[in-house]
Amino acid sequence: MSTRSDRASARAIDDLDRRLQALEELVAVGEGRLPTDTHSRAAATARNARARLGHGGAHTVVAIAGSTGSGKSSLFNAIAAADLSSVGIRRPTTSAASAAVFGSEADALLDWLAVPRRHRLDGMRAATTPGGAELDLSGLVLLDLPDHDSTVAAHRAEVDRLVQVVDVFVWVVDPQKYADAALHDDYLAHFAGHSDVSMVVLNHADVLDDNDRRRALDDLRQLLVADGMGDVRVMATSASTGHGVDQLVTELAAQASARRAFVSRLAADVDWVASDVATTIGAAPAAEVSRVARRRLELAFADAAGVAPVAEAVGKAHRVRGSAATGWPPARWTVRLRPDPLRRLGLDRRSGAGRRRAGSARKSAGDAAAVARTSRAAPDAVAMAKVDNALRALVDDTSAGLPTAWRDGITAAATPSRADVTDALDRAVGAADLATERPRWWRAAGSLQWLLAAAMVVGLAWLVAMGVVAWFGLPDLPVPHIGALPLPTVLALGGALAGLLCAAASRWINAAGARRRSAAIKRQLTRAVGVVAEELVVGKVDAELVALRQLVDLARRLA
Amino acid sequence: MDVDAVHAVASELRGQLAVAPLSLDLPGVDRARTIAADGVRQLDDYVLPRLANLDAPALAVVGGSTGAGKSTLVNSLLRSNVTRPGVLRPTTRAPVLVCRPEDIGWFDDHRVLPGLSRVSGEAHGTAEISLATSPALPPRLALVDAPDIDSVVDSNRAMASQLLDAADLWVFVTTAARYADAVPWEFLQRAARRGVVLGIVVNRLPPAAGEVVDHLREMLAEHGLDGTPVFAVDEQPLTDEWIADDAVRPLRTWLGALVDDQASRAEIVRRTLTGTVADLAVRADSVAAAVESQHEALAHLGTIAHETFDAAHERLIAEVGEGAVMRGEVLARWQDVVGTGELLRQLQSTIGRWRDRVASALTGRTTGTERLQEAIEHSVDVLVRAHAATAAERVAASWRAHPAGAALAAAAPEPLDRPSPQLSERTERLVRDWQGSLLEMLRVEGASKRTTAKALSYGVNGVGLVAMVGVFAQTGGLTGAEVAIAGGTSVAGQKVLEAVLGDQAVRSLSIRARGDLNLRTGELFAAEVRRYLDLLEAVPGTAHDAAAALRDTARRLAQLVRR
């Protein structure tokens, strides 16, 4: 029998422990995500429950609470069968809680409860009524609380503190005060969930005759039903005549030996927090930022980073450098008159460094911490405004239907500082490999161009030489012919023509190369900007969403 | 005391208290609302009827805790069962008014306590009072057995409070177990403030409990009620449900002496009335303070909305002025237009325009000018929306940090941290309207021949476009060329801008168009602010300055009774 009940209580403790873990996680995750008062109540409950659980079930703490003058102290003395608390006429009497410890000492527990006034009593209590049996009260810690309704506010504060941490409540009322609002509204209705660790005792029952007592008890029960405590045990006692005290003591002895009251009380606390949390918790948010919102943000970031103009400039630079390498040599000087597109964007510095870094450029902005700022102009106001709008759209999209506090959290996660955004975007662009690759054929084409140019020059020089010879009337030089045409003419015209054709062909190939290069850079920068969006916004919002979903899940586990 | 004057001012005060604007949820407003409502009720129940009938019988209200034995005490005083005592708490749920048979005329109409309907048997409802007569009362005195002040039944507490507020004198009943409870002392403090004539009965005193009475006297002295008569009634078996006559005789004698002759009764009535009116003046002052803070809160919240949006609008103007719109997308499209020579065609020949249109119709592609126009519209829209949204966010954050603002924001039909849903639509229309008025301006200029022939030769649409670019490119005093250089535009673009903007007519047109744009965005932002102001104006009773009027009435009332 006892092993079965031990097993049951071990199971109850395990169960409570699991829920407490959920509660503790909830407190950790709920910081800033639950309403402040709900969170602080949950935190206090978790703290108290963990501490109380740590003290174990060896002792059961029973609080005698009630109005001033309802006879708490005399009932306390009657239960202890000893004169421990002073009983007085002048109200309020008891100003600080005192404890009666039955059997083994409970100093650690009482230290935690911060009750300094303690009495040690034997575990075996003699019966009050003649012929009654001795009762084993070992493990019972009885607390005599101050009143909650006198003009001394400090008493109420002490009661409010202790009712949070005791295991069993004995609410003492009397025929005059059993319907007081101060008791029902402020305490009984509040602890309605704790009815299986509560007892309501109508003390001073000796002032009523049997009939009136019955009617008063019925009326009291009705009031308790209205408080939501319909199933609480109600009994009538009289500390002065001893009426009902034995029954009360038997109940308390049963609670003390069952050693389960503290688990029930803590479980009721957790229930209460769970229902409190349930009212404040919203529906589970989306698992992550939607693709649409993310895409929109990436586009805005790409705009702010100037991805399109940079890609365009890279393409243009490719064309310019290609022309410089493969253009028709006589016309190459014109290329130098055109400003380098990358230099105009303040990105030229990269052309040397980028080659060394080639391959590492796609790494995240974190790797590229060493990348210095480019000398590009800061993103313009319209682009930043677009970013702001995209961030807001992301918040609206993600937080639809969520409680305000959660929306605030998501807003905070989705509000990177403007300086961080411009800096990260600039790094992302700066870290990209913008260097113009010099295709191998450029050298060949360049050499060919020089060859053709040389042929042309040789042809021209030959023709000039021929002209000079003819002008001076000297005998004609021997001119080899290719077909019908003289060789120098073929060299000069053919070289020029072939050079121009070659240049045109190179130009055409370079244009295609520039488009390819531009598209590649655009892809690369878009990816880099996507990484920035992920790091600065999306990742943080996703983390917040994970936390919120965890909160919803924990609240469900708690209930 | 000039009774008629006091009556007039008190009626005025009643009217003002009844409509005191206290609908914002500021800290402490609940208290102010209670004070105002209690004040109105007390004026209706007691002050105004009493001022109208100074020689009506004195009303003594027997009040106190549940279970203190009020009903038993009343029955024992009168030696007749006019009210029903019991062990169930709270026993008396509806009040009983007992008067001498000849005084019934004073109470059966609705002069006193007009809100309570009279019944002759047992009253049941929450707004009923049962009337009974007893010849055992001293002449010109009526007793009310009031419900308790501290049980779980809320209506009892409200009724007791109402009755005690309407009393000429209080008989406050407590017990040895009760006398240190917090709730009764709140009522006793109210009695002290009001200066009501007060007697305290300590009922159910256990044997040898003289200490209790001493302690009670000490507590009374602490609360400024020293000298209050305390009547001790020992716990005793009841005969015929009555307390022994000896035990209640001191109380009966005291009551009798108070109303014994005309002069002393008038003195009691006057003392309580003066005290109550003076207290009412003080309480009305605190209501006035609450009303004032409501006004201040409304003004504060309105100022926040105004200032935030004004600042946002100024930033918008500054950004437009610095050429923000002329960068990025707009600049790229401008270069497209200038680079491809489309602009020159647009400007100089109708044929060019037709060719572009045919080309765009055939290829399904929009012309560069159209894309430029779209880019301008889009940029202006983006800027306006971002600034309006930032301002909305800031106003919402400030409001939410304010207690009254938080409640208003929570109750708002649409989220306040976002611009109004119609903003996008309005911005688009704004840009369209603005362009329309720009073209209209050009047409008027053309008609009045003030524009140079060169500008006119460009055609209205072409010049309109250039003027629009000019609006965004010309910063205060600087020319478009400088902005274009800053934005990295091409040489061709610079030349065209310079050439076209060099035209005095186009330049002045651009300046006017920018002023027009600022005006329109200003209106747009004003419409956004309107949303917040509408919420504030929907708060009832905020139109008139009630606080000063209330303070003035309270001051006059205090002066009248002091005289």
Side-chain angles (χ1 to χ4, degrees), chain A residues 8-211:
Chain A
S9 78
R11 216 169 27 242
I13 290 178
D14 277 355
D15 189 47
L16 176 66
D17 188 57
R18 258 196 309 280
R19 293 180 71 203
L20 260 186
Q21 275 170 16
L23 179 60
E24 280 157 351
E25 276 178 58
L26 183 102
V27 168
V29 179
E31 172 99 62
R33 298 186 176 107
L34 288 173
T36 325
D37 43 347
T38 305
H39 182 260
S40 58
R41 273 197 299 267
T45 304
R47 215 169 34 240
N48 277 340
R50 189 51 82 192
R52 179 64 191 88
L53 211 55
H55 286 286
H59 294 95
T60 300
V61 184
V62 176
I64 312 274
S67 329
T68 172
S70 59
K72 291 181 300 294
S73 294
S74 45
L75 199 62
F76 178 74
N77 289 345
I79 295 168
D83 227 1
L84 302 177
S85 268
S86 59
V87 176
I89 294 262
R90 200 180 160 110
R91 305 269 144 243
T93 321
T94 308
S95 55
S98 61
V101 183
F102 295 85
S104 59
E105 57 93 15
D107 284 348
L109 183 57
L110 285 169
D111 285 347
W112 175 65
L113 292 169
V115 176
R117 291 168 58 191
R118 302 160 193 181
H119 308 278
R120 271 288 290 288
L121 295 167
D122 194 63
M124 297 306 289
R125 175 194 178 277
T128 356
T129 43
E134 266 198 341
L135 278 169
D136 184 6
L137 289 180
S138 300
L140 180 68
V141 176
L142 205 59
L143 293 185
D144 183 17
L145 299 195
D147 65 88
H148 60 254
D149 61 352
S150 79
T151 49
V152 187
H155 289 189
R156 200 188 153 112
E158 177 75 351
V159 174
D160 287 348
R161 180 180 76 80
L162 282 169
V163 291
Q164 301 302 327
V165 287
V166 300
D167 301 332
V168 176
F169 305 93
V170 176
W171 299 104
V172 183
V173 298
D174 64 48
Q176 270 186 56
K177 289 191 164 186
Y178 74 78
D180 276 17
L183 178 70
H184 288 276
D185 295 353
D186 296 355
Y187 292 94
L188 291 177
H190 184 75
F191 285 106
H194 294 73
S195 61
D196 56 339
V197 287
S198 300
M199 281 173 243
V200 178
V201 172
L202 182 67
N203 199 21
H204 293 321
D206 53 312
V207 302
L208 301 173
D209 61 32
D210 286 351
N211 192 30

Side-chain angles (χ1 to χ4, degrees), chain B residues 108-128:
Chain B
D108 62 1
D109 58 11
H110 286 238
R111 267 177 293 188
V112 184
L113 297 165
L116 304 181
S117 53
R118 273 61 169 167
V119 291
S120 54
E122 198 171 329
H124 296 286
T126 50
E128 290 185 346

Side-chain angles (χ1 to χ4, degrees), chain B residues 288-304:
Chain B
V291 170
E292 225 157 54
S293 47
Q294 298 254 318
H295 273 289
E296 277 161 19
L298 282 177
H300 177 64
L301 292 174
T303 312
I304 288 174

Side-chain angles (χ1 to χ4, degrees), chain B residues 502-527:
Chain B
D503 192 313
Q504 177 61 38
V506 176
R507 197 155 54 212
S508 77
L509 196 70
S510 292
I511 291 169
R512 272 164 56 202
R514 186 144 87 205
D516 184 40
L517 181 66
N518 291 349
L519 212 66
R520 283 172 195 275
T521 47
E523 278 167 16
L524 189 83
F525 274 49

